[in-house]
PDB file of all heavy atoms in Angstrom:
ATOM      1  N   SER F 208      25.603  16.200  -8.080  1.00 98.00           N
ATOM      2  CA  SER F 208      24.322  16.253  -8.784  1.00 98.00           C
ATOM      3  C   SER F 208      24.303  15.233  -9.914  1.00 98.00           C
ATOM      4  O   SER F 208      25.357  14.851 -10.442  1.00 98.00           O
ATOM      5  CB  SER F 208      24.093  17.645  -9.392  1.00 98.00           C
ATOM      6  OG  SER F 208      24.233  18.668  -8.431  1.00 98.00           O
ATOM      7  N   LEU F 209      23.096  14.806 -10.267  1.00 98.00           N
ATOM      8  CA  LEU F 209      22.932  13.863 -11.369  1.00 98.00           C
ATOM      9  C   LEU F 209      21.729  14.276 -12.206  1.00 98.00           C
ATOM     10  O   LEU F 209      20.791  14.886 -11.698  1.00 98.00           O
ATOM     11  CB  LEU F 209      22.712  12.435 -10.858  1.00 98.00           C
ATOM     12  CG  LEU F 209      23.782  11.852  -9.931  1.00 98.00           C
ATOM     13  CD1 LEU F 209      23.351  12.003  -8.479  1.00 98.00           C
ATOM     14  CD2 LEU F 209      24.047  10.383 -10.260  1.00 98.00           C
ATOM     15  N   PHE F 210      21.774  13.907 -13.489  1.00 98.00           N
ATOM     16  CA  PHE F 210      20.603  14.126 -14.328  1.00 98.00           C
ATOM     17  C   PHE F 210      20.543  13.083 -15.430  1.00 98.00           C
ATOM     18  O   PHE F 210      21.546  12.452 -15.786  1.00 98.00           O
ATOM     19  CB  PHE F 210      20.575  15.542 -14.907  1.00 98.00           C
ATOM     20  CG  PHE F 210      21.701  15.906 -15.824  1.00 98.00           C
ATOM     21  CD1 PHE F 210      21.618  15.688 -17.198  1.00 98.00           C
ATOM     22  CD2 PHE F 210      22.850  16.507 -15.330  1.00 98.00           C
ATOM     23  CE1 PHE F 210      22.656  16.040 -18.041  1.00 98.00           C
ATOM     24  CE2 PHE F 210      23.898  16.875 -16.171  1.00 98.00           C
ATOM     25  CZ  PHE F 210      23.791  16.635 -17.539  1.00 98.00           C
ATOM     26  N   VAL F 211      19.342  12.896 -15.962  1.00 98.00           N
ATOM     27  CA  VAL F 211      19.103  11.954 -17.049  1.00 98.00           C
ATOM     28  C   VAL F 211      18.595  12.731 -18.253  1.00 98.00           C
ATOM     29  O   VAL F 211      17.708  13.577 -18.130  1.00 98.00           O
ATOM     30  CB  VAL F 211      18.066  10.877 -16.648  1.00 98.00           C
ATOM     31  CG1 VAL F 211      17.781   9.943 -17.824  1.00 98.00           C
ATOM     32  CG2 VAL F 211      18.550  10.085 -15.447  1.00 98.00           C
ATOM     33  N   LYS F 212      19.171  12.433 -19.414  1.00 98.00           N
ATOM     34  CA  LYS F 212      18.728  13.068 -20.646  1.00 98.00           C
ATOM     35  C   LYS F 212      17.581  12.271 -21.275  1.00 98.00           C
ATOM     36  O   LYS F 212      17.286  11.133 -20.869  1.00 98.00           O
ATOM     37  CB  LYS F 212      19.890  13.182 -21.636  1.00 98.00           C
ATOM     38  CG  LYS F 212      20.899  14.269 -21.309  1.00 98.00           C
ATOM     39  CD  LYS F 212      21.869  14.471 -22.471  1.00 98.00           C
ATOM     40  CE  LYS F 212      22.809  15.628 -22.236  1.00 98.00           C
ATOM     41  NZ  LYS F 212      23.711  15.842 -23.403  1.00 98.00           N
ATOM     42  N   ASN F 213      16.966  12.845 -22.268  1.00 98.00           N
ATOM     43  CA  ASN F 213      15.847  12.188 -22.950  1.00 98.00           C
ATOM     44  C   ASN F 213      16.242  10.861 -23.581  1.00 98.00           C
ATOM     45  O   ASN F 213      15.394   9.976 -23.765  1.00 98.00           O
ATOM     46  CB  ASN F 213      15.269  13.109 -24.025  1.00 98.00           C
ATOM     47  CG  ASN F 213      14.573  14.318 -23.429  1.00 98.00           C
ATOM     48  OD1 ASN F 213      14.145  14.309 -22.283  1.00 98.00           O
ATOM     49  ND2 ASN F 213      14.447  15.382 -24.217  1.00 98.00           N
ATOM     50  N   ASP F 214      17.518  10.704 -23.938  1.00 98.00           N
ATOM     51  CA  ASP F 214      17.966   9.452 -24.557  1.00 98.00           C
ATOM     52  C   ASP F 214      18.282   8.377 -23.526  1.00 98.00           C
ATOM     53  O   ASP F 214      18.767   7.293 -23.867  1.00 98.00           O
ATOM     54  CB  ASP F 214      19.181   9.696 -25.455  1.00 98.00           C
ATOM     55  CG  ASP F 214      20.396  10.247 -24.686  1.00 98.00           C
ATOM     56  OD1 ASP F 214      20.328  10.326 -23.449  1.00 98.00           O
ATOM     57  OD2 ASP F 214      21.406  10.594 -25.335  1.00 98.00           O
ATOM     58  N   GLY F 215      18.041   8.692 -22.227  1.00 98.00           N
ATOM     59  CA  GLY F 215      18.267   7.722 -21.164  1.00 98.00           C
ATOM     60  C   GLY F 215      19.672   7.722 -20.612  1.00 98.00           C
ATOM     61  O   GLY F 215      19.988   6.940 -19.705  1.00 98.00           O
ATOM     62  N   SER F 216      20.538   8.566 -21.114  1.00 98.00           N
ATOM     63  CA  SER F 216      21.914   8.624 -20.617  1.00 98.00           C
ATOM     64  C   SER F 216      21.977   9.325 -19.264  1.00 98.00           C
ATOM     65  O   SER F 216      21.203  10.240 -18.993  1.00 98.00           O
ATOM     66  CB  SER F 216      22.829   9.337 -21.616  1.00 98.00           C
ATOM     67  OG  SER F 216      22.389  10.666 -21.866  1.00 98.00           O
ATOM     68  N   LEU F 217      22.882   8.869 -18.408  1.00 98.00           N
ATOM     69  CA  LEU F 217      23.051   9.390 -17.049  1.00 98.00           C
ATOM     70  C   LEU F 217      24.311  10.235 -16.966  1.00 98.00           C
ATOM     71  O   LEU F 217      25.386   9.815 -17.412  1.00 98.00           O
ATOM     72  CB  LEU F 217      23.135   8.230 -16.055  1.00 98.00           C
ATOM     73  CG  LEU F 217      23.467   8.573 -14.600  1.00 98.00           C
ATOM     74  CD1 LEU F 217      22.376   9.448 -13.991  1.00 98.00           C
ATOM     75  CD2 LEU F 217      23.654   7.304 -13.783  1.00 98.00           C
ATOM     76  N   TRP F 218      24.190  11.412 -16.374  1.00 98.00           N
ATOM     77  CA  TRP F 218      25.293  12.353 -16.242  1.00 98.00           C
ATOM     78  C   TRP F 218      25.449  12.778 -14.781  1.00 98.00           C
ATOM     79  O   TRP F 218      24.478  12.764 -14.020  1.00 98.00           O
ATOM     80  CB  TRP F 218      25.024  13.595 -17.109  1.00 98.00           C
ATOM     81  CG  TRP F 218      24.898  13.288 -18.569  1.00 98.00           C
ATOM     82  CD1 TRP F 218      23.877  12.616 -19.192  1.00 98.00           C
ATOM     83  CD2 TRP F 218      25.834  13.624 -19.593  1.00 98.00           C
ATOM     84  NE1 TRP F 218      24.117  12.514 -20.539  1.00 98.00           N
ATOM     85  CE2 TRP F 218      25.314  13.137 -20.832  1.00 98.00           C
ATOM     86  CE3 TRP F 218      27.048  14.308 -19.603  1.00 98.00           C
ATOM     87  CZ2 TRP F 218      25.971  13.294 -22.043  1.00 98.00           C
ATOM     88  CZ3 TRP F 218      27.700  14.476 -20.816  1.00 98.00           C
ATOM     89  CH2 TRP F 218      27.164  13.978 -22.021  1.00 98.00           C
ATOM     90  N   ALA F 219      26.680  13.153 -14.399  1.00 98.00           N
ATOM     91  CA  ALA F 219      26.928  13.532 -13.008  1.00 98.00           C
ATOM     92  C   ALA F 219      28.026  14.581 -12.923  1.00 98.00           C
ATOM     93  O   ALA F 219      28.865  14.715 -13.814  1.00 98.00           O
ATOM     94  CB  ALA F 219      27.320  12.307 -12.193  1.00 98.00           C
ATOM     95  N   MET F 220      28.017  15.325 -11.807  1.00 98.00           N
ATOM     96  CA  MET F 220      29.048  16.352 -11.584  1.00 98.00           C
ATOM     97  C   MET F 220      29.145  16.624 -10.085  1.00 98.00           C
ATOM     98  O   MET F 220      28.198  16.386  -9.341  1.00 98.00           O
ATOM     99  CB  MET F 220      28.727  17.654 -12.326  1.00 98.00           C
ATOM    100  CG  MET F 220      27.380  18.277 -12.030  1.00 98.00           C
ATOM    101  SD  MET F 220      26.123  17.792 -13.252  1.00 98.00           S
ATOM    102  CE  MET F 220      24.848  19.054 -12.912  1.00 98.00           C
ATOM    103  N   GLY F 221      30.312  17.117  -9.660  1.00 98.00           N
ATOM    104  CA  GLY F 221      30.485  17.466  -8.259  1.00 98.00           C
ATOM    105  C   GLY F 221      31.531  16.631  -7.549  1.00 98.00           C
ATOM    106  O   GLY F 221      32.398  16.006  -8.171  1.00 98.00           O
ATOM    107  N   ARG F 222      31.445  16.603  -6.242  1.00 98.00           N
ATOM    108  CA  ARG F 222      32.428  15.890  -5.412  1.00 98.00           C
ATOM    109  C   ARG F 222      32.397  14.389  -5.690  1.00 98.00           C
ATOM    110  O   ARG F 222      31.329  13.779  -5.774  1.00 98.00           O
ATOM    111  CB  ARG F 222      32.150  16.152  -3.929  1.00 98.00           C
ATOM    112  CG  ARG F 222      33.216  15.574  -3.004  1.00 98.00           C
ATOM    113  CD  ARG F 222      32.968  15.978  -1.564  1.00 98.00           C
ATOM    114  NE  ARG F 222      33.994  15.444  -0.682  1.00 98.00           N
ATOM    115  CZ  ARG F 222      34.049  15.670   0.632  1.00 98.00           C
ATOM    116  NH1 ARG F 222      33.140  16.429   1.211  1.00 98.00           N
ATOM    117  NH2 ARG F 222      35.015  15.142   1.358  1.00 98.00           N
ATOM    118  N   ASN F 223      33.597  13.816  -5.790  1.00 98.00           N
ATOM    119  CA  ASN F 223      33.702  12.411  -6.187  1.00 98.00           C
ATOM    120  C   ASN F 223      34.650  11.626  -5.288  1.00 98.00           C
ATOM    121  O   ASN F 223      35.169  10.581  -5.677  1.00 98.00           O
ATOM    122  CB  ASN F 223      34.191  12.343  -7.647  1.00 98.00           C
ATOM    123  CG  ASN F 223      33.911  11.021  -8.309  1.00 98.00           C
ATOM    124  OD1 ASN F 223      32.962  10.332  -7.971  1.00 98.00           O
ATOM    125  ND2 ASN F 223      34.752  10.649  -9.278  1.00 98.00           N
ATOM    126  N   THR F 224      34.858  12.137  -4.073  1.00 95.00           N
ATOM    127  CA  THR F 224      35.827  11.539  -3.140  1.00 95.00           C
ATOM    128  C   THR F 224      35.557  10.067  -2.903  1.00 95.00           C
ATOM    129  O   THR F 224      36.488   9.256  -2.760  1.00 95.00           O
ATOM    130  CB  THR F 224      35.786  12.300  -1.792  1.00 95.00           C
ATOM    131  OG1 THR F 224      35.927  13.685  -2.042  1.00 95.00           O
ATOM    132  CG2 THR F 224      36.899  11.813  -0.879  1.00 95.00           C
ATOM    133  N   TYR F 225      34.290   9.679  -2.849  1.00 96.00           N
ATOM    134  CA  TYR F 225      33.933   8.290  -2.580  1.00 96.00           C
ATOM    135  C   TYR F 225      33.415   7.570  -3.821  1.00 96.00           C
ATOM    136  O   TYR F 225      32.797   6.523  -3.728  1.00 96.00           O
ATOM    137  CB  TYR F 225      32.885   8.235  -1.473  1.00 96.00           C
ATOM    138  CG  TYR F 225      33.350   8.896  -0.196  1.00 96.00           C
ATOM    139  CD1 TYR F 225      32.948  10.185   0.135  1.00 96.00           C
ATOM    140  CD2 TYR F 225      34.210   8.241   0.675  1.00 96.00           C
ATOM    141  CE1 TYR F 225      33.382  10.812   1.300  1.00 96.00           C
ATOM    142  CE2 TYR F 225      34.658   8.845   1.848  1.00 96.00           C
ATOM    143  CZ  TYR F 225      34.243  10.130   2.143  1.00 96.00           C
ATOM    144  OH  TYR F 225      34.685  10.733   3.291  1.00 96.00           O
ATOM    145  N   GLY F 226      33.662   8.178  -4.977  1.00 98.00           N
ATOM    146  CA  GLY F 226      33.168   7.573  -6.209  1.00 98.00           C
ATOM    147  C   GLY F 226      31.699   7.822  -6.458  1.00 98.00           C
ATOM    148  O   GLY F 226      31.056   7.094  -7.221  1.00 98.00           O
TER     149      GLY F 226
END
Side-chain angles (χ1 to χ4, degrees):
S208 307
L209 304 97
F210 63 90
V211 177
K212 285 190 175 182
N213 292 337
D214 61 6
S216 59
L217 173 63
W218 299 70
M220 55 265 196
R222 186 174 181 178
N223 199 28
T224 308
Y225 302 100

